[in-house]
Amino acid sequence: MSFNPNDVDLDTADPTEIICYLNKSENDYNGQLGARISAIFVIFAVSTAVTFFPVVAKRVPRLHIPLYVYLFARYFGAGVIIATAFIHLLDPAYSEIGPQSCVGMTGNWADYSWCPAIVLTSLMCIFLLDFGAERYVEVKYGVCREDPEPIMTSAVDNSTVDKASPGNSRKSEADVEELSTTDTLIERSFKQQIAAFLILEFGVIFHSVIIGLNLGVTGDEFATLYPVLVFHQSFEGLGIGARMSAIPFRKGSWLPWILCSLYGLTTPISIAIGLGVRTTYNSGSYTANVVSGVLDAISAGILIYTGLVELLARDFLFDPHRSQDNKRLAFMVVTMLWGAGIMALLGKWA
């Protein structure tokens, strides 16, 4: 017998049927097509520009962007990433597939609390990938924790040294070795950091796809959601760009610009897809909740690990080159807290 919401006896009704009925929603699309189309271009322009800013500030020194402006972008972005993990991903995942949701109370989903299990699995997988990448680089370049310098041989063969000018030849050998060491350290640092960054962007893009689809089909909430998502995507973009700016890409590399553009395009493309299915897509359906809940839980695990380990712990606790200037350190911490606070506040609407 199907559930009849107009005839419910609270003493005998199945709580699961009631919750599933309350959670289920219709397609709320209510027009405003022009404004929704404008969101594609506005969010693309604003979020892409903000994502590019930290990268441009670091890679184009002739712009003379003040240090504290760059530090603000970098650590505000770090706070945003952490708040996104908990407020914009973990909490929605629980509401979509958690124990008190329609999905979490039906079928095999009711047998175990799968939401935290997915988050834990995602986090551990990212740890293993990060650890594996770092260990691979250590083995390849012959470095270890106790001996931070790479084991390497001179780029100049001693047998070919000009014996007529031993002083100059030894100086030449030292210069070449120093240059080679610098290049090796940069390459090692790049390979250690790029894997973690790609995982971070992967997690953020998952989230961007879901909110882009929802903006394309949402109903009366559109007027509020539109400006909120402009800030939301801009702040997330700032986090992406700030993290990317710390990676030592080779001079002239196009990869940072490509990765920035990829983030900037994700939500606009998702909005366009949402508009394409605006009459059929139901964000409150059982299937949509399963898909978005699983993706949110996976992304939450990725961003929790990345935010706490790659951003906070690595930059503030374990960086041997961290600034000793208390004023600068206080600015970095306050900026990070501000980013986390503002992004957490945006969670009230999106």
Side-chain angles (χ1 to χ4, degrees):
M1 183 176 179
S2 61
F3 177 71
N4 183 1
N6 297 315
D7 183 17
V8 178
D9 184 345
L10 294 179
D11 292 326
T12 60
D14 184 354
T16 301
E17 291 184 335
I18 297 175
I19 291 175
C20 288
Y21 174 78
L22 293 175
N23 285 353
K24 185 178 181 181
S25 65
E26 301 293 332
N27 185 289
D28 296 327
Y29 177 76
N30 64 351
Q32 299 178 289
L33 184 60
R36 294 173 195 267
I37 292 175
S38 73
I40 296 174
F41 299 98
V42 171
I43 290 179
F44 169 72
V46 176
S47 63
T48 302
V50 173
T51 306
F52 271 109
F53 173 75
V55 180
V56 171
K58 187 72 175 287
R59 296 177 66 85
V60 188
R62 66 176 177 273
L63 294 178
H64 301 297
I65 294 175
L67 172 64
Y68 276 86
V69 174
Y70 170 74
L71 291 176
F72 175 86
R74 178 168 176 174
Y75 293 102
F76 184 92
V80 165
I81 293 298
I82 295 168
T84 297
F86 288 97
I87 305 299
H88 296 264
L89 291 171
L90 186 60
D91 183 58
Y94 267 97
S95 67
E96 291 157 343
I97 62 173
Q100 302 303 314
S101 69
C102 172
V103 174
M105 298 177 72
T106 57
N108 292 327
W109 290 96
D111 296 337
Y112 187 74
S113 187
W114 289 106
C115 183
I118 294 172
V119 174
L120 177 63
T121 302
S122 172
L123 189 152
M124 287 300 177
C125 287
I126 300 310
F127 160 71
L128 291 174
L129 288 172
D130 193 22
F131 176 66
E134 183 151 336
R135 183 59 186 150
Y136 168 79
V137 171
E138 287 176 351
V139 171
K140 180 176 180 179
Y141 291 100
V143 297
C144 61
R145 294 292 179 182
E146 291 77 17
D147 181 17
E149 292 300 324
I151 299 171
M152 51 194 314
T153 58
S154 172
V156 179
D157 186 352
N158 289 336
S159 63
T160 62
V161 175
D162 183 1
K163 301 185 186 307
S165 52
N168 290 336
S169 299
R170 281 192 299 271
K171 183 175 184 299
S172 175
E173 180 179 350
D175 290 343
V176 173
E177 183 172 355
E178 181 179 356
L179 179 61
S180 179
T181 301
T182 301
D183 290 343
T184 302
L185 290 172
I186 291 174
E187 185 178 358
R188 188 189 84 190
S189 178
F190 170 77
K191 290 186 176 181
Q192 285 176 328
Q193 295 184 54
I194 191 62
F197 173 79
L198 291 175
I199 292 168
L200 167 65
E201 184 162 21
F202 181 69
V204 172
I205 282 178
F206 262 170
H207 179 48
S208 299
V209 169
I210 299 299
I211 63 176
L213 286 172
N214 289 339
L215 185 63
V217 301
T218 191
D220 295 335
E221 296 177 348
F222 174 77
T224 302
L225 198 58
Y226 183 178
V228 168
L229 287 188
V230 172
F231 286 101
H232 181 283
Q233 291 306 103
S234 298
F235 291 156
E236 277 192 354
L238 192 61
I240 290 288
R243 181 60 187 161
M244 197 183 313
S245 69
I247 300 175
F249 291 96
R250 289 188 178 277
K251 188 175 181 180
S253 173
W254 284 92
L255 188 56
W257 314 112
I258 293 172
L259 293 174
C260 284
S261 300
L262 179 62
Y263 169 79
L265 285 168
T266 300
T267 300
I269 290 174
S270 300
I271 296 172
I273 293 173
L275 291 177
V277 297
R278 62 186 180 276
T279 59
T280 57
Y281 177 70
N282 181 4
S283 60
S285 69
Y286 184 92
T287 301
N289 276 324
V290 170
V291 173
S292 60
V294 170
L295 292 181
D296 280 345
I298 291 172
S299 299
I302 292 173
L303 266 65
I304 288 172
Y305 176 85
T306 303
L308 297 181
V309 176
E310 296 291 336
L311 300 181
L312 287 194
R314 183 162 292 182
D315 283 1
F316 286 97
L317 301 178
F318 305 128
D319 182 6
H321 305 295
R322 187 194 65 197
S323 172
Q324 299 301 309
D325 184 341
N326 286 333
K327 177 183 175 183
R328 184 181 299 179
L329 288 173
F331 179 81
M332 290 158 55
V333 171
V334 170
T335 300
M336 181 274 297
L337 294 175
W338 194 19
I342 291 179
M343 198 62 174
L345 178 63
L346 288 181
K348 176 177 173 60
W349 300 281

